[in-house]
Amino acid sequence: MNKFGHFIAKHRKLVLLIATFLLLPSFYGMIKTKINYDILTYLPKKLESVKGQEILNDVFENSSTSFLVIENMEEKDVAKIKDKISGIEGVEKIIWVDDFVDTAIPKEALPEELKDTFYRENSTLLMIQFGNESSSDITQDAITEIRGVLNKQCFLSGMAAVLKDTVELADKQTPIYVGLAIALAVLVLSLTLESTIIPFIILISIGYSIMYNFGTNIIFGEISYITKSLAAVLQLGVTMDYSIFLLHRFEEESRKIDDKNQAMANAIEKTAASIMGSSLTTIAGFLAIAFMELTIGKDIGLVMAKGVFLGVISVLTVLPALMLVFDKVIHRFSHKTLLPEFNGLSKLVTKHYKLFIIIALLIFLPAFYGERNNEVYYNLDESLPRDMDSIVGFSKLKNEYNMMTTHMILVPSDMPSYKIKSMVDDIEKLEGIEKVISYDKFVGPGIPDNFIPKEVKDKFEQGGYKLILVNSSFKAATDEENAQVDAIYDITKKYDSRTMVTGEGVLTKDLVSIADEDFKRVNVISILAVFFIILLVFTSVSIPLLLVLVIELAIFINMAIPYYMNNSIPFISSIVIGSIQLGATVDYAILLTTRFREEIRNGYNKFEAMEISVRESSKSIFTSGLTFFGSTVGVAVISDMEIVKSLSGMIARGALISTGVILFILPGVLLVSEGFIRKTSKNWGKGTVDTAEKGRIIYENK
């Protein structure tokens, strides 16, 4: 590794030239990577609801449905708006009362079914069916054009409209997230490092790796908007430690050697192993997320694991080159740090270690209970501001038509009309069913099939399937909605086993079931992966057990806070926060434990060793934790997207909680368990007599 370090130091300008050149393809890849804003598209393809959605797309060319509420407008003007919308690319069908009867007929004289479906006292309802998925470019462009046709009397709702608003909000706020993360990281580093310039050097180095990460996302074809919003700030937070490790080692080597190139080569050699070792736990945490059955986990996990790997590469190549090129400037501007020496903290946690263990035990049960009983939400619309156009449209749909979600039932065309009518009657009797719209119901069995216009028939029957729309007053992901979906499923299968039920509510119900299983799977995999990495690092059975337990306590505390504050959290948080917090902050625990082992080997008793370990490790742990907090808390403060706000807020809070737990509780756990650790660890306390005696003298002199 020393030869590699020499090469980087000697050819630093060439390294920077190549690194900068690689930004060009990275920028191209970043532009060409598609962003997916529809969480429901990450459901497994094997689900019946997903298969039904594919039939809607391929056969009916109807992958999504939006609803348009128009208030206080005459029928002729509504018809004009309908005609304009019908001509927009991406709009497959638009269903209104004029598809069934002449609008010249007074609405008071209409059949009750039609009147109840399409009219309220001061408004009328149109159903817009799109030929492509809600998140597709064609549908999103269609939403833009539809909004251009509408006026203040019109209110558009539906998943496609929600996604459009999400796209615009994310595109507007993501650059602000990154800018604020950089500003706060610079502030933290300026307060904790002596050089005024080095924070900017570190951030430029990390900036290279972030660009490489986003550019190489093109290999996945697309990434989720959640990944896009958080990847940069997360990568900044979790890879900052490695830069600080190298910086401190370079400064140490520079005090011993006048040759800066040799000092940097030594620094790279001596930190490479520890940096790569530390990164393994973080990568393991992110890769655990990739094992989610909901494939958004693979999206987040692989992108972030790749980001950490590229961050390590950048720290060992770009950062040393930048530090050597700007070495004179770095040392020209310096100031004192504001961090204390932590002497008081080291004495406190060592002297009163039993008290902190008691505190940990008292916290554990309420933290565990709160973490297990959090209220979780799954609806994308709940993560958006209430004044957005699509959310206002949802409110109108709910308040005026008592509709929240639409289920879509696909039945075989050869199913007799009398059976379909009987099935529809059974569904209408279910609690929360506002309206069932079907071809057979409106037309009736007495009208010959050839009397029905083809364009009307095509709206409800194509490719061997008949389409039935079921409007529900229940909100997706609620217990009432899920029970309703189960009841509809049972009814349809009773009449014909070939029927399929799909739609936002059904897909979201499947999302709930899969998310519950993913939560268990990801937690187990991340804990086992980190456990075995620590086991290999320390060649100990007890240390990985103790460190993981301590970090899990920090995770429980973090996850319990929303419960006791009576706040709901997005489902994705409940799945990924544990893995991120475990993988990113267990490094702090490893750092403290490694130093404790080193001082034990130096011949100190466990209390002396712990006091030294806390005193010498606290500055690095505090700096890392505070930087991780600073790089993510800004997003939590300013984001208008609740799902992003919640995720980043919990990550930021988790960094502080882990830092506190490691500095206050871990020392007591290690002290109490030191005898057990010694028996279950290889070479735990082995050190030379000279080293031990030297250690005692240093401690006594202090």
Side-chain angles (χ1 to χ4, degrees):
M1 202 67 192
N2 196 271
K3 290 182 179 179
F4 173 78
H6 267 293
F7 178 85
I8 298 298
K10 184 178 180 180
H11 302 286
R12 50 187 175 270
K13 291 183 179 179
L14 175 63
V15 170
L16 290 179
L17 182 64
I18 294 172
T20 304
F21 177 78
L22 289 175
L23 292 177
L24 295 177
S26 298
F27 186 69
Y28 174 82
M30 185 172 63
I31 293 174
K32 291 297 183 180
T33 302
K34 183 183 175 184
I35 308 300
N36 189 349
Y37 294 82
D38 190 353
I39 291 176
L40 295 178
T41 59
Y42 291 102
L43 285 166
K45 302 301 180 187
K46 65 182 181 182
L47 296 175
E48 182 179 293
S49 57
V50 176
K51 292 177 181 176
Q53 198 71 14
E54 290 174 350
I55 291 173
L56 286 174
N57 184 21
D58 299 336
V59 177
F60 283 87
E61 296 185 336
N62 169 25
S63 279
S64 64
T65 300
S66 286
F67 296 92
L68 177 62
V69 176
I70 301 179
E71 295 181 338
N72 301 312
M73 185 178 291
E74 294 183 7
E75 274 75 2
K76 61 182 180 64
D77 295 322
V78 173
K80 289 179 182 177
I81 288 178
K82 179 191 172 187
D83 289 341
K84 289 180 181 178
I85 294 174
S86 298
I88 292 173
E89 183 184 0
V91 175
E92 187 61 28
K93 308 177 189 72
I94 180 164
I95 301 172
W96 189 46
V97 67
D98 66 349
D99 289 311
F100 304 95
V101 296
D102 194 322
T103 52
I105 301 173
K107 64 181 179 181
E108 292 77 15
L110 292 176
E112 199 66 26
E113 290 291 345
L114 284 174
K115 189 168 67 174
D116 287 349
T117 300
F118 294 104
Y119 287 106
R120 289 297 181 267
E121 184 178 351
N122 297 313
S123 67
T124 187
L125 176 69
L126 294 83
M127 284 172 279
I128 305 171
Q129 297 179 347
F130 298 99
N132 296 275
E133 295 174 344
S134 299
S135 58
S136 71
D137 292 338
I138 295 175
T139 301
Q140 290 297 294
D141 291 341
I143 291 291
T144 301
E145 290 192 51
I146 290 170
R147 284 177 169 170
V149 170
L150 307 179
N151 57 32
K152 293 181 179 180
Q153 297 166 265
C154 305
F155 303 91
L156 184 66
S157 67
M159 183 56 69
V162 171
L163 292 177
K164 182 64 179 177
D165 288 341
T166 304
V167 171
E168 293 176 352
L169 188 60
D171 288 348
K172 182 176 73 174
Q173 292 202 327
T174 298
I176 301 174
Y177 300 159
V178 177
L180 191 57
I182 291 172
L184 291 173
V186 167
L187 177 63
V188 172
L189 292 174
S190 298
L191 295 175
T192 55
L193 298 177
E194 293 181 354
S195 172
T196 306
I197 303 299
I198 198 65
F200 298 97
I201 300 295
I202 290 174
L203 289 171
I204 290 171
S205 167
I206 295 174
Y208 274 82
S209 65
I210 290 173
M211 283 296 296
Y212 297 154
N213 192 28
F214 273 80
T216 52
N217 285 337
I218 194 171
I219 64 178
F220 304 129
E222 67 176 27
I223 60 172
S224 74
Y225 80 97
I226 298 174
T227 306
K228 177 192 174 187
S229 299
L230 290 177
V233 295
L234 267 182
Q235 189 174 340
L236 174 64
V238 300
T239 60
M240 185 68 72
D241 297 356
Y242 316 142
S243 301
I244 295 172
F245 290 167
L246 182 72
L247 170 66
H248 286 164
R249 194 71 197 205
F250 174 63
E251 290 174 347
E252 183 180 334
E253 294 295 325
S254 295
R255 288 192 290 268
K256 301 176 185 176
I257 307 170
D258 291 334
D259 185 347
K260 294 291 184 181
N261 288 351
Q262 182 62 52
M264 182 58 76
N266 291 349
I268 292 173
E269 180 186 15
K270 293 177 180 178
T271 56
S274 61
I275 288 173
M276 288 188 281
S278 296
S279 68
L280 283 178
T281 56
T282 307
I283 291 173
F286 285 122
L287 287 180
I289 301 172
F291 283 90
M292 288 170 59
E293 189 175 3
L294 189 68
T295 53
I296 192 173
K298 187 179 293 183
D299 181 276
I300 297 172
L302 293 180
V303 169
M304 287 311 307
K306 175 163 60 69
V308 174
F309 174 76
L310 291 170
V312 171
I313 299 299
S314 180
V315 165
L316 296 176
T317 55
V318 178
L319 180 59
L322 285 169
M323 288 170 63
L324 289 173
V325 168
F326 295 99
D327 183 65
K328 292 182 179 179
V329 180
I330 290 170
H331 289 90
R332 188 180 304 164
F333 302 97
S334 60
H335 60 271
K336 290 184 177 180
T337 67
L338 298 182
L339 287 181
E341 292 302 318
F342 295 100
N343 290 321
L345 175 66
S346 63
K347 293 181 183 297
L348 175 69
V349 298
T350 304
K351 183 178 181 181
H352 301 288
Y353 71 97
K354 291 181 181 178
L355 173 63
F356 288 110
I357 289 178
I358 292 171
I359 291 172
L361 293 173
L362 291 174
I363 290 173
F364 176 77
L365 284 179
F368 181 77
Y369 180 83
E371 187 265 349
R372 292 290 164 178
N373 290 278
N374 268 319
E375 182 183 345
V376 178
Y377 69 81
Y378 297 80
N379 291 344
L380 180 61
D381 62 282
E382 290 189 24
S383 69
L384 297 174
R386 297 295 96 187
D387 60 350
M388 294 193 81
D389 290 344
S390 57
I391 306 305
V392 172
F394 262 125
S395 298
K396 290 286 183 183
L397 199 64
K398 170 63 178 173
N399 296 334
E400 296 185 22
Y401 290 85
N402 200 30
M403 286 168 51
M404 288 302 294
T405 54
T406 299
H407 312 310
M408 299 174 184
I409 303 173
L410 293 165
V411 300
S413 294
D414 60 5
M415 187 173 172
S417 292
Y418 76 90
K419 269 195 168 185
I420 294 177
K421 188 175 186 310
S422 179
M423 182 179 74
V424 167
D425 290 342
D426 288 348
I427 293 173
E428 286 183 323
K429 294 173 184 175
L430 294 175
E431 183 182 1
I433 296 298
E434 179 62 23
K435 186 65 58 181
V436 180
I437 304 171
S438 72
Y439 170 82
D440 296 84
K441 182 178 178 182
F442 284 135
V443 173
I447 302 177
D449 199 56
N450 58 352
F451 275 49
I452 310 301
K454 184 178 184 300
E455 59 271 19
V456 175
K457 187 177 178 181
D458 284 349
K459 293 178 189 290
F460 292 96
E461 183 175 356
Q462 285 191 50
Y465 290 96
K466 290 182 179 179
L467 175 63
I468 300 173
L469 302 177
V470 181
N471 293 328
S472 172
S473 61
F474 293 147
K475 196 168 190 177
T478 60
D479 292 339
E480 296 88 352
E481 171 87 333
N482 292 339
Q484 184 187 85
V485 169
D486 286 336
I488 292 173
Y489 183 85
D490 290 340
I491 290 171
T492 58
K493 293 299 182 183
K494 181 180 70 175
Y495 282 93
D496 195 313
S497 61
R498 296 172 294 170
T499 57
M500 292 184 178
V501 185
T502 188
E504 181 193 349
V506 186
L507 291 165
T508 306
K509 179 181 180 296
D510 287 338
L511 177 65
V512 174
S513 300
I514 291 172
D516 289 344
E517 292 301 316
D518 278 342
F519 172 74
K520 299 170 188 173
R521 182 186 300 109
V522 169
N523 274 352
V524 170
I525 292 173
S526 61
I527 289 171
L528 288 177
V530 171
F531 180 94
F532 282 110
I533 290 170
I534 300 174
L535 186 149
L536 293 173
V537 170
F538 286 96
T539 58
S540 168
V541 175
S542 53
I543 290 176
L545 178 65
L546 296 172
L547 298 195
V548 168
L549 283 175
V550 168
I551 299 296
E552 283 298 310
L553 173 62
I555 293 169
F556 288 156
I557 295 170
N558 188 22
M559 294 293 290
I561 288 174
Y563 173 78
Y564 291 108
M565 293 183 67
N566 202 28
N567 293 331
S568 59
I569 61 174
F571 78 96
I572 196 70
S573 296
S574 65
I575 299 173
V576 305
I577 288 296
S579 293
I580 293 173
Q581 190 173 338
L582 175 61
T585 63
V586 75
D587 290 353
Y588 313 161
I590 292 173
L591 177 64
L592 180 64
T593 307
T594 303
R595 187 58 185 255
F596 181 53
R597 181 180 64 178
E598 180 182 334
E599 300 306 331
I600 289 287
R601 288 177 175 178
N602 285 340
Y604 297 116
N605 67 48
K606 63 182 182 181
F607 296 103
E608 296 167 345
M610 184 55 70
E611 188 174 330
I612 296 170
S613 300
V614 173
R615 182 176 65 240
E616 299 302 324
S617 302
S618 291
K619 187 173 289 188
S620 295
I621 293 171
F622 189 78
T623 300
S624 297
L626 198 59
T627 305
F628 195 12
F629 170 79
S631 64
T632 50
V633 71
V635 181
V637 171
I638 68 163
S639 179
D640 289 328
M641 289 188 292
E642 185 58 36
I643 193 167
V644 174
K645 187 184 189 75
S646 176
L647 265 172
S648 55
M650 294 180 78
I651 292 169
R653 187 173 65 219
L656 291 186
I657 292 171
S658 289
T659 301
V661 166
I662 288 162
L663 290 178
F664 286 93
I665 294 173
L666 180 59
V669 171
L670 293 175
L671 286 172
V672 167
S673 309
E674 200 272 335
F676 175 59
I677 293 172
R678 186 180 295 272
K679 292 176 182 177
T680 56
S681 305
K682 186 178 180 181
N683 300 327
W684 170 254
K686 287 189 175 180
T688 65
V689 175
D690 290 342
T691 303
E693 185 59 32
K694 183 180 178 182
R696 291 181 191 280
I697 292 170
I698 294 172
Y699 181 78
E700 288 168 3
N701 288 338
K702 285 186 177 181

